Amino acid sequence: MAATSRRMRTSSIRAIFFDLDNTLIKTRKGDKLACEKVLFKMSESVPDSVKKCIAILKAAESDTEKFAALFMVTKLVKGEDCNTRSKKLLFEAIGFKFLKRLLLSPDVPADCPPLVYKSVALSILSSFCSDSELATHPEMLANIPVFLDIVQQADDDDLDDNLIVVSEAYECLQNIAAHEPGQLALLEVGGVAKMCEIYAQQSFQTDEALNILVTLVGRFGPSAWDINPKPFHVIVNKIALDFETDHSERKFELCGMLYALLSSCRRDVIVATASDALWPGSIHKGLSDILTSKLGKAQRDPALKLTSIMVELLGVEWCLSDEERPRQFLLLLVQLCSVEIRMQLEDRNFKQIMTNADLVTACFVILELSIAYIATDTLELEQKEKQQLYTAFKGAFSAVITVLTKVSNDFTKNPNILDIKGKVFVCAMVRVLSAWLAQETSAMRNAIYALLPFMLTLANETFYAYRSRRLAEKRQTSDAMETETDIISQVDILRLMLPALCHLAVEEKARKILLEAKEDEVLYECLAYHWSIVHYKKPPVPKSERGKVKKEPEMELDPKVQEEMKDSRAAMISICNIFMNVTVLEAKMVEESMLFATLLKFIFNNLPELKSIPENLVLHGNLAVLGLLLLKQQAKRVKKNDFTICRYIQATIRFLWDAYNVDESNDTSALVVAISYKKYWFELMELWFLGMQTMSAVLALVPWISEFAIESGWAEGIIDMLHKVRLGSLPANTKSAYEDFLCHLVDANNSVTTVLKEHDALSVCRTHRFMELGKRLFGD
């Protein structure tokens, strides 16, 4: 039926062209002079046939005459002798206004198909659009809405007549979308939403709509999507359902499409609303079908890439959504990724490895997130499964270390050996290896020590590039514009290495490498940078607004800013841990170091400024205790008239004092961790004991600090609190911490003895068996 309709249409069109062409020739015989003038103005590079056609088009006085001339154009624009200049001249001679009238005109001659004008116009335009200059012509771009309206009518009742028209409209849109000006124009007229709507609701040639959509989101990323997540969920639900149920080769094409769409989404918005969508489950089912089947590389690779972005968006928990066998998919995934990494990295040179860099990086992402999740111990694994995972991880990271070692050796000889893409891939290897090292694994330690200087060099480069870019963005300067070389500044590898460096700083060989590389100096800069984010200050109020009564409550911080602050808190905590390890294990070096003196001054100045909010409590404890450790080593540099020390000691006392109380206990006679500390006590417990122990040591070295403990009321506060604690309920380690501190306080400042006695310290010593404190206060 459709073929018959098309043959009838072609016959009718040719009849019209024949009649109108003869009319045009007859009516224009007397206008030979006008044609010759047009021809004379053209370049000799334009073929004579084109010159003649252009002359006739320009000489046409009516739409009927111009329409007849189009018959010649349809033959010329598809010919080999019609170059770009010829097409442009023909396009301008026809005029888009005339073509637009043909596209929109509802009136056609009798006995003609209703879409004859539209079909001819689109046939001409689709031919012109194959040329980049014409595809991006301002008039072509201005009429994108016309093409969009045509493809949106693809499912109208008269489908047979629409087939060719819709196909040619899609061809125009695809050619337009192939060029940046066209992509921008499509984005401006809502092309993304239109393509989503077409794919989700219609059936004819919707894959063309999907291809255009993927092109646009691939070019513009998250900015291509509206802040409203509904259109995204609608189309991804539709594609994911097709992906789950289609078992032909198209399944793997859809796999790539889903990867492109999910990679470009507004992650914060989509992640927050994905729990109500159907696509996570459909994609899980579709991927399970693929990855549990014996398929070739062409089918497996897109599946691993899609899995990677799903894990990145929805977390490892998404892998466990199979109710019957929740662990199996994750265990299979780790095995597949580990094997794939070995296959891609082992016995290959770097150039060969880079041909599949995207795939290997996707596997790295899955391993990195899986390692972090498994380390939380929320996944119940059998011993056999644990061994299988460890073996898989070790094999993959052995391959990573081998490649990094080769790259490191080549880099030492020639620092410019890596191009941007190569450097980004090497950063990905360092990143995933850091995730492995953060779990305190002792595997392949000597190889790690050999690699560490190279890893630090690369990590530091990314930190400085990342910091510069972020500071430029805040200043909103032109420096913030993204360039090809700016890719290296997208991820701060040093930030990601910090948990691994915490463990490495404990090991003598690794610590020596860190200090020889002067990494402590970089870490200090890193600490200061993250402090600038944690200690967020709102923009200053304009002078005109100052002094006015605030009618509205203060706006909450942007979620993105809050997330950055959270990440920077974690970074500062890791850096504090690294510095603590170095301070304890390299005491002599720290004692003489100007850098650590500067670090101590940084803590003196900034800890009192840290906002007293629950989210800052762990950071507060880390800065306070690091300060005490440094104060112990740098005691000889401390001056009594330094006001910053006073404020720091007060802030530190507050942290140590508030940790325990009796008032929040159910029976009011047991010492308990304060409610505000309880949520974070796993991270704070060791810090508190270390802080109490170090405070005691500092009192012996800097006795005048005891005055703060007395003036603040902390010393008598401890005695008053312990009075309320019943006999035998005080934990041994807590008892020891309090008694040791009070003993050192008495040794440092004898005036505290009177204060303690006035608060009935004797009863406390008897109740809790504080033998040493009793001797100091009351003698034998």
Side-chain angles (χ1 to χ4, degrees), residues 452-453 456 460 494 497 500-523 578 582:
L452 194 52
L456 291 172
N460 294 344
L494 180 60
M497 277 187 72
L501 292 178
C502 289
H503 301 310
L504 289 168
V506 178
E507 301 169 23
E508 188 174 352
K509 286 185 179 179
R511 190 170 63 254
K512 185 179 180 183
I513 294 167
L514 289 173
L515 295 174
E516 285 178 353
K518 298 189 182 301
E519 193 62 24
D520 49 345
E521 296 177 8
V522 182
L523 289 171
I578 297 168
V582 174

Side-chain angles (χ1 to χ4, degrees), residues 423-479:
K423 191 172 284 188
V424 169
F425 181 71
V426 172
C427 284
M429 285 196 285
V430 171
R431 172 175 181 161
V432 73
L433 182 57
S434 298
W436 170 248
L437 295 174
Q439 303 312 317
E440 295 187 271
T441 172
S442 59
M444 303 167 282
R445 237 15 180 201
N446 289 329
I448 296 297
Y449 297 149
L451 266 179
L452 194 52
F454 172 68
M455 292 171 67
L456 291 172
T457 298
L458 206 61
N460 294 344
E461 181 184 345
T462 65
F463 162 64
Y464 288 124
Y466 180 85
R467 184 181 65 174
S468 296
R469 181 176 65 83
R470 294 306 305 272
L471 293 176
E473 286 173 353
K474 285 184 178 179
R475 293 194 301 268
Q476 295 183 331
T477 66
S478 58
D479 296 339

Side-chain angles (χ1 to χ4, degrees), residues 33 133 189 220 245 268 280 301 387 397 493 506 520 580 588 611 619 621 626 630 646 709:
L33 183 62
E133 191 173 340
V189 298
F220 298 107
T245 55
D268 51 343
D301 290 3
Q387 186 59 46
F397 288 113
I493 299 298
V506 178
D520 49 345
M580 284 185 208
K588 187 65 178 175
K611 291 179 182 177
L619 176 58
L626 174 58
L630 290 170
C646 305

Side-chain angles (χ1 to χ4, degrees), residues 572-574 576-581 584 616-629 648 652 655-657 659-660 677 680-695 737:
M572 289 187 73
I573 289 166
S574 292
C576 284
N577 276 280
I578 297 168
F579 279 134
M580 284 185 208
N581 289 333
V584 171
N616 282 340
L617 183 58
V618 177
L619 176 58
H620 185 128
N622 275 273
L623 286 170
V625 175
L626 174 58
L628 288 174
L629 290 168
Y648 159 75
T652 301
F655 167 73
L656 296 171
W657 190 349
Y660 283 101
Y677 282 61
Y680 310 98
W681 193 240
F682 179 78
E683 299 171 81
L684 290 173
M685 183 172 65
E686 289 187 9
L687 264 181
W688 186 83
F689 284 106
L690 178 60
M692 291 294 290
Q693 179 187 345
T694 311
M695 178 67 88

Side-chain angles (χ1 to χ4, degrees), residues 326-343:
R327 302 195 306 268
Q328 297 310 307
F329 185 70
L330 177 60
L331 296 173
L332 171 66
L333 200 54
V334 170
Q335 291 289 346
L336 287 174
C337 289
S338 298
V339 170
E340 192 65 43
I341 288 168
R342 293 185 65 179
M343 288 172 60

